[in-house]
Amino acid sequence: MRQVYAPGCALMIYKPELAKRVLEFLRKDIDDIKEHLTCCRHEPNLAAGTRVINTCAGCDKRYRELYAGISTVSLWEILAENETFPFPDYQGQEMSVHDACPTRTEVRVHTAIRKLLARMNIKIVEAANTRTRATCCGDSFYGVLPAEQVKERMQQRATEMPCDNVVVYCVSCIKAMHIGGKQPRYIVDLLFGEATGIGTFEPELWHNELERFIEEH
């Protein structure tokens, strides 16, 4: 089975060097794996039977639903079962988890994320609405509601989080948790022992940045 690694547009904007580190690690187990930089909103032009390893919840959903002949799996599922990844130790820090909308139905993803956090010695304090019952972070309402109402949704979701530190696995959720007054902890940053940066976070500016990248890829 041919496999490719798709870091996703948002990670490539956020920290392309982390996408490179993920690929380098995957190549230790998968010799011929290639990087796939075509945005999931465009025809992937991949051979039938290809499996896409994704790091973006939106990519996970689109590769599952839109393109015949290919399959997808999250990086989280692969790392959760990996015996050689050098997991950092966060010494029992308490964090909540915000589950991304595109994977709301994907129990496999929710489970893998929590396995990774356990392997990093992070204590999870769950919100009332989590996993398949997770409330949207607010970002999915961009383009449907005015920006100020989108930000209100972000603030509302953030208040549901019991901990100040909130683990996210979607770059747009970083922005939402920041706007909501929480400290987002992006899962790829946690895996590689890095601090989570915020970058562009105002909804209109962030989505403009994303759209430019999508158009180019």
Side-chain angles (χ1 to χ4, degrees), residues 52-113:
V52 181
I53 299 173
N54 70 73
T55 52
C56 167
C59 291
D60 191 286
K61 182 179 176 69
R62 292 186 187 93
Y63 288 127
R64 268 188 284 121
E65 298 181 352
L66 299 182
Y67 305 110
I70 63 174
S71 60
T72 192
V73 63
S74 67
L75 176 69
W76 330 129
E77 294 165 82
I78 290 174
L79 293 186
E81 305 304 324
N82 189 276
E83 297 301 326
T84 61
F85 190 84
F87 291 99
D89 184 350
Y90 288 92
Q91 302 180 334
Q93 288 185 44
E94 292 189 350
M95 301 184 193
S96 296
V97 181
H98 168 71
D99 292 296
C101 291
T103 56
R104 182 173 291 137
T105 60
E106 303 306 302
V107 174
R108 61 186 172 85
V109 175
H110 309 153
T111 300
I113 288 290

Side-chain angles (χ1 to χ4, degrees), residues 94-97 125-128 158-166 182:
E94 292 189 350
M95 301 184 193
S96 296
V97 181
V125 182
E126 295 280 14
T159 62
E160 297 179 16
M161 295 290 115
C163 297
D164 287 333
N165 285 282
V166 180
K182 295 293 185 177

Side-chain angles (χ1 to χ4, degrees), residues 16 24 29 34 60 72 76 87 98 102 112 121 146 151 161 167 172 181 183:
E24 289 172 351
D29 293 324
K34 299 288 194 300
D60 191 286
T72 192
W76 330 129
F87 291 99
H98 168 71
N121 194 14
K151 291 166 75 171
M161 295 290 115
V167 178
S172 291
Q183 177 59 57

Side-chain angles (χ1 to χ4, degrees), residues 112-131:
I113 288 290
R114 286 156 178 82
K115 283 185 178 179
L116 291 178
L117 298 180
R119 296 188 73 177
M120 290 188 282
N121 194 14
I122 292 170
K123 181 180 179 182
I124 303 169
V125 182
E126 295 280 14
N129 297 315
T130 191
R131 298 182 186 247

Side-chain angles (χ1 to χ4, degrees), residues 5-76:
Y5 167 56
C9 298
L11 177 55
M12 291 299 292
I13 293 171
Y14 173 66
K15 285 187 181 179
E17 68 278 8
L18 275 188
K20 182 178 179 181
R21 290 178 69 181
V22 170
L23 181 61
E24 289 172 351
F25 179 79
L26 290 174
R27 281 181 171 157
K28 293 179 181 179
D29 293 324
I30 311 169
D31 293 335
D32 60 346
I33 191 168
K34 299 288 194 300
E35 189 174 47
H36 181 70
L37 294 179
T38 300
C39 177
C40 66
R41 295 173 187 270
H42 307 312
E43 176 61 48
N45 295 314
L46 294 170
T50 299
R51 183 169 81 158
V52 181
I53 299 173
N54 70 73
T55 52
C56 167
C59 291
D60 191 286
K61 182 179 176 69
R62 292 186 187 93
Y63 288 127
R64 268 188 284 121
E65 298 181 352
L66 299 182
Y67 305 110
I70 63 174
S71 60
T72 192
V73 63
S74 67
L75 176 69
W76 330 129

